[in-house]
């Protein structure tokens, strides 16, 4: 799944859509669920191979969704806007809080190719040796392997939903031959699902993957269109280092003006200009402490 973004505009409409028989089929048996989740994963694999899709941004957007789902499972009230604030408005020395830590863990997990070292960076406080043992817990097909890792980690650490899901996603990615972790399970499983075991947990994972993969494909197509718009207006930007700013928007879920490689005034003007051109959105609805993204 390459991270470099090359957007031939004429190809945007040819990003394959999830077949209707996957999205509309009535699920009547475990076999149907397994078949449809496999079909959905196969389709997403094709979407992730498209150069038009901003891969790093897609992973970051899915990581935010995964973090929000994990926070909800833990019973905390923070949602998408709160998580963005906790991560992107941090100042040196600030602590992100429990919800912010969850979001940072997911964002770090998707930043680098899947490896024990990368996962060790995301899951602070866990040894690389323990992570390696957990990753090897699963055998067989991709979903079976991911479910086995999820079950093993939760058996060892019943309150470790976040590391369990991140490691299960990593096992899924490795089994599918993907370089990077693409959050799918976390956005589809429920608190009740995480208490299941064996075949019941595998079925819950198939259902979660089917649900999340359909959503991920739609998000990928939407981000491809938005990225195309941003790249189309980029030559009209006059600010120095505007190209570097554009790359940040193409790689991050949200960007504060202060994070751009420009003076404060120039950064705010650039953000306002991009919003005016329809190239980025202001994500918070606030007059201050704004965040911007595709």
């Amino acid at each position: 799944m390459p991270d470099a973004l090359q957007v031939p505009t004429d190809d945007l409409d040819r990003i394959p859509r999830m077949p209707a028989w996957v999205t509309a089929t009535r699920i009547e048996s475990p076999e149907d669920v397994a078949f449809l989740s496999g079909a959905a994963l196969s389709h997403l694999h094709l979407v992730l191979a498209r150069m038009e899709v901003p891969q790093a941004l897609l992973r970051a957007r899915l990581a935010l969704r995964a973090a929000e789902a994990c926070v909800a499972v833990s019973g905390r009230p923070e949602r998408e806007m709160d998580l963005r604030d906790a991560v992107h408005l941090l100042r040196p020395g600030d602590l992100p809080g429990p919800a912010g830590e969850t979001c940072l863990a997911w964002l770090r997990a998707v930043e680098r190719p899947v490896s024990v070292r990368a996962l060790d960076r995301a899951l602070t406080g866990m040894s690389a040796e323990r992570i390696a043992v957990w990753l090897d817990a699963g055998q067989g097909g991709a979903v079976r392997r991911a479910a086995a890792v999820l079950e093993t980690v939760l058996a060892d650490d019943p309150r470790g939903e976040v590391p369990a899901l991140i490691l299960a996603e990593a096992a899924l990615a490795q089994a599918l031959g993907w370089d990077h972790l693409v959050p799918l399970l976390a956005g589809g499983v429920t608190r009740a699902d995480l208490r299941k075991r064996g075949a019941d947990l595998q079925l819950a994972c198939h259902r979660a993957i089917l649900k999340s993969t359909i959503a991920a494909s739609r998000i990928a197509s939407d981000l491809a269109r938005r990225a195309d718009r941003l790249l189309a207006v980029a030559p009209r930007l006059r600010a120095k280092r505007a190209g570097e700013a554009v790359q940040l928007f193409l790689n991050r879920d949200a960007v504060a003006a202060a994070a751009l490689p420009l003076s404060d005034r120039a950064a705010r003007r650039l953000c306002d200009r991009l919003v005016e051109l329809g190239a980025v959105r202001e994500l918070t609805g606030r007059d201050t402490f704004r965040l911007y993204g595709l």
Side-chain angles (χ1 to χ4, degrees):
M1 292 181 295
D3 278 330
L5 183 65
Q6 302 172 9
V7 184
T9 305
D10 292 342
D11 286 349
L12 287 172
D13 291 336
R14 293 203 292 271
I15 293 178
R17 296 183 179 182
M18 186 76 72
W21 57 266
V22 174
T23 59
T25 299
R26 181 178 178 181
I27 300 174
E28 297 181 351
S29 69
E31 291 78 11
D32 291 334
V33 179
F35 173 75
L36 291 173
S37 73
L41 281 172
S42 180
H43 173 84
L44 183 61
H45 185 83
L46 297 177
V47 172
L48 294 177
R50 301 290 299 218
M51 298 299 293
E52 304 94 318
V53 177
Q55 305 290 340
L57 173 56
L58 173 63
R59 294 194 302 271
R61 191 63 51 86
L62 294 176
L64 178 68
R65 288 167 58 92
E68 183 180 28
C70 286
V71 168
V73 165
S74 71
R76 296 191 62 86
E78 293 90 347
R79 292 299 178 261
E80 182 178 284
M81 182 181 295
D82 305 304
L83 295 175
R84 282 190 171 124
D85 285 354
V87 170
H88 298 290
L89 298 180
L90 274 180
R91 295 175 297 181
D94 285 350
L95 297 176
E101 288 286 2
T102 295
C103 193
L104 284 172
W106 279 102
L107 290 171
R108 290 168 181 156
V110 303
E111 281 177 348
R112 301 180 181 185
V114 176
S115 68
V116 171
R117 183 176 180 180
L119 292 168
D120 183 43
R121 175 176 174 268
L123 301 173
T124 56
M126 293 190 175
S127 69
E129 292 77 13
R130 194 178 190 189
I131 289 172
V133 169
W134 275 335
L135 272 182
D136 286 339
Q139 301 293 329
V143 179
R144 180 187 295 271
R145 179 177 172 184
V149 172
L150 182 59
E151 181 173 348
T152 300
V153 178
L154 287 175
D156 291 346
D157 183 8
R159 299 183 66 181
E161 293 93 349
V162 173
L165 285 164
I166 287 177
L167 291 172
E169 303 275 19
L172 181 69
Q174 288 181 327
L176 293 170
W178 293 350
D179 293 335
H180 288 78
L181 186 155
V182 180
L184 297 173
L185 287 166
V189 294
T190 65
R191 184 182 303 179
D193 289 335
L194 295 176
R195 294 194 292 267
K196 296 175 180 178
R197 297 293 180 265
D200 289 338
L201 180 58
Q202 288 180 37
L203 180 60
C205 287
H206 277 296
R207 290 185 182 276
I209 287 171
L210 176 58
K211 175 184 175 182
S212 295
T213 302
I214 292 171
S217 295
R218 291 171 179 162
I219 293 170
S221 295
D222 179 63
L223 290 178
R225 289 189 293 270
R226 293 181 182 276
D228 179 59
R229 174 60 182 168
L230 176 58
L231 290 172
V233 305
R236 299 161 59 180
L237 304 175
R238 298 180 180 180
K240 292 182 178 180
R241 305 183 71 181
E244 295 175 47
V246 166
Q247 288 303 311
L248 285 178
F249 287 114
L250 291 172
N251 284 277
R252 297 186 185 180
D253 166 66
V255 178
L260 298 177
L262 304 166
S263 68
D264 288 345
R265 182 179 179 183
R268 289 194 297 269
R269 289 180 62 184
L270 177 64
C271 290
D272 290 342
R273 178 63 171 155
L274 288 171
V275 171
E276 177 185 334
L277 293 170
V280 302
R281 297 174 293 155
E282 201 288 309
L283 301 173
T284 69
R286 297 187 297 245
D287 293 330
T288 59
F289 299 105
R290 291 179 164 184
L291 295 172
Y292 301 86
L294 265 64

